[in-house]
Amino acid sequence: MSTILVTGGAGFIGANFVYLQLEKHPEDRIVCIDKLTYAGNLHTLDKAMQSPNFRFEKIDICDREAVFAIFKEERPDIVVNFAAESHVDRSIENPGVFLQTNIVGTQVLMDASREYKVKRYHQVSTDEVYGDLPLDRPDLLFTETTPLKTSSPYSSSKAGADLLVNAYHRTFGLPTTISRCSNNYGPYQFPEKLIPLMIANALANKPLPVYGEGLNVRDWLYVEDHCKAIDLIIRQGKVGEVYNIGGHNEMRNIDIVKIIIKALGKSEDLITYVADRKGHDMRYAIDPTKIHNELGWLPETMFAEGIQKTIAWYLSNKDWWEKIVSGEYVHYFEKMYGERLKKSQK
Ligand code: NAD
Ligand code: DAU
């Protein structure tokens, strides 16, 4: 039996990971800490709260005293750090909080991990640390040795954290692993991200704001497959290593939006091209050969199936996301998209 400390478990991927652990490893204890920022939703963990093996504490990973206290009490064997500011557009508006949570928070967690001698510290990172690839070179993919070359304050903060993780491994011998995953989609994703935002807007017959010409390419992976990969890495992955995780599933944004429109029986007239994101990365594409060869991982859910499952989830869990899009999010949407939508309609 192990105690796994999961940070950011009230967010999208962290919550999916908590549920996978409770189902797959019922012998383990899960301690979840989360600051409950705008992106954290305690209702997402309602079912987990019923499990005797699950504990939740509202803690900011930058709060050294609180983090050390929970480590002292729980003595985790494994730490999995999902907690982060995760939205690129918000990092362009306000970089400071990204540096604080994503870099300083990681340092605090690793200091506590050293002090309480955890057996594994796992950092959940992103393919965005590699920068982007050109559209006309489909032969190029990100491998674990691709140099870090970031574009946004978000990706820079994640790359900074990755460098720090490697430094803690080399300097202090902390038993670390890092995973760098491509774009996730699935249940419980906050509706500021492309897929849930398009589903929510289409259902409300609102404009679907596509940045630039919608030609940017992302490599989409169903969230459960990401969680299964992390589960393998923390139990069987080699200390000190980085593992890329990707879906072998490159798609243009505009094609994703059209799939969602079709599935919901809406009109393509809802598509509204808006001013592009500053510094917008063109293409991400992951080469996941290493995790396949070393740990036998492969994505299990193909996009055609995963996107229908995801749309069905948002249709049958309207109360989960309608609360979000009718609250503080209204101001966020107006601030981020108000001017861009007005300009695009001229
Ligand atoms: P999310 O924004 O949905 O959730 C983040 C969670 O972290 C929230 O519950 C939030 O309350 C919590 N949090 C934020 N600041 C905190 C702090 N200071 N202390 C404690 N908790 C805090 O993010 P997500 O999409 O689930 O991403 C999780 C991780 O995976 C992030 O590290 C992200 O960089 C990485 N990642 C995401 C994707 C993706 O496609 N979403 C892909 C690759 C990697
Ligand atoms: O690649 C992994 C990363 O994927 C993670 O590290 C990030 O945490 C996660 O947010 C995601 O980043 P992206 O910027 O790729 O995801 P997002 O959903 O914000 O955007 C996906 C694409 O869709 C991107 O090219 C921008 C575009 N887009 C996005 C929004 C929100 C639009 O065209 N319109 C929109 O309204």
Side-chain angles (χ1 to χ4, degrees):
M1 182 202 144
S2 299
T3 296
I4 306 177
L5 188 130
V6 175
T7 74
F12 166 46
I13 308 174
N16 278 283
F17 182 79
V18 164
Y19 284 116
L20 179 80
Q21 291 301 308
L22 290 174
E23 190 193 317
K24 214 171 156 208
H25 304 285
E27 70 286 3
D28 288 344
R29 175 169 168 74
I30 308 291
V31 178
C32 172
I33 64 171
D34 195 299
K35 184 182 176 182
L36 299 180
T37 67
Y38 79 93
N41 187 342
L42 210 44
H43 287 308
T44 304
L45 293 171
D46 279 347
K47 273 192 221 130
M49 298 287 191
Q50 290 161 17
S51 164
N53 293 350
F54 181 79
R55 172 182 177 189
F56 177 86
E57 289 295 330
K58 183 175 184 301
I59 290 176
D60 180 344
I61 58 166
C62 301
D63 181 343
R64 185 168 282 270
E65 209 177 302
V67 168
F68 272 65
I70 192 107
F71 271 68
K72 187 175 180 192
E73 192 188 340
E74 290 286 350
R75 304 283 170 149
D77 301 287
I78 300 172
V79 174
V80 187
N81 181 24
F82 292 94
E85 288 293 335
S86 70
H87 193 40
V88 173
D89 293 318
R90 288 184 191 253
S91 83
I92 296 166
E93 292 292 302
N94 179 17
V97 66
F98 283 73
L99 306 190
Q100 188 62 23
T101 287
N102 298 0
I103 302 178
V104 176
T106 297
Q107 182 217 349
V108 170
L109 289 171
M110 290 195 297
D111 284 342
S113 299
R114 282 182 67 208
E115 176 76 19
Y116 292 100
K117 299 190 173 30
V118 304
K119 297 190 192 95
R120 178 66 62 89
Y121 173 87
H122 183 74
Q123 178 73 2
V124 181
S125 185
T126 167
D127 60 357
E128 297 201 14
V129 299
Y130 299 121
D132 64 351
L133 296 164
L135 288 182
D136 61 356
R137 289 292 306 276
D139 54 311
L140 296 180
L141 302 171
F142 299 134
T143 71
E144 289 80 359
T145 56
T146 301
L148 305 191
K149 188 172 174 294
T150 55
S151 313
S152 70
Y154 163 68
S155 54
S156 304
S157 68
K158 294 296 289 184
D162 284 11
L163 294 174
L164 202 58
V165 172
N166 284 337
Y168 269 58
H169 172 63
R170 177 157 174 172
T171 307
F172 304 120
L174 185 69
T176 61
T177 37
I178 297 174
S179 53
R180 295 184 179 142
C181 190
S182 58
N183 286 61
N184 285 215
Y185 68 100
Y188 300 117
Q189 187 166 31
F190 195 85
E192 67 187 348
K193 305 284 166 66
L194 180 75
I195 288 180
L197 183 142
M198 294 299 164
I199 296 172
N201 278 20
L203 285 171
N205 296 311
K206 285 189 182 156
L208 306 180
V210 173
Y211 297 166
E213 295 177 85
L215 302 180
N216 304 65
V217 168
R218 298 290 183 265
D219 173 0
W220 294 93
L221 179 70
Y222 194 61
V223 63
E224 199 176 69
D225 283 328
H226 183 188
C227 295
K228 286 180 179 169
I230 295 173
D231 181 47
L232 275 174
I233 295 169
I234 60 176
R235 291 165 197 275
Q236 295 169 40
K238 220 168 117 200
V239 161
E241 293 292 314
V242 174
Y243 294 90
N244 280 355
I245 307 169
H248 286 296
N249 179 48
E250 288 181 54
M251 295 187 69
R252 301 187 312 177
N253 294 339
I254 188 65
D255 297 326
I256 302 251
V257 174
K258 286 183 180 171
I259 289 172
I260 293 170
I261 289 172
K262 192 164 174 220
L264 294 174
K266 299 290 177 176
S267 161
E268 289 193 5
D269 291 346
L270 289 175
I271 295 174
T272 310
Y273 293 95
V274 300
D276 210 350
R277 174 185 279 173
K278 289 185 184 123
H280 197 174
D281 281 335
M282 206 61 220
R283 170 177 167 248
Y284 303 145
I286 279 275
D287 177 356
T289 305
K290 177 173 168 177
I291 189 168
H292 175 61
N293 287 348
E294 287 188 17
L295 305 179
W297 178 87
L298 272 181
E300 291 169 26
T301 303
M302 295 302 105
F303 189 78
E305 179 197 346
I307 191 69
Q308 297 307 334
K309 267 164 72 170
T310 302
I311 293 170
W313 187 88
Y314 279 87
L315 282 171
S316 52
N317 289 276
K318 279 190 177 170
D319 54 334
W320 183 86
W321 58 269
E322 276 181 348
K323 273 194 207 109
I324 298 170
V325 296
S326 62
E328 179 53 33
Y329 181 81
V330 174
H331 305 294
Y332 166 82
F333 194 80
E334 178 54 30
K335 189 173 162 212
M336 285 296 202
Y337 294 92
E339 278 307 308
R340 284 155 111 178
L341 284 169
K342 265 186 233 148
K343 278 186 195 144
S344 74
Q345 280 153 10
K346 277 182 191 155

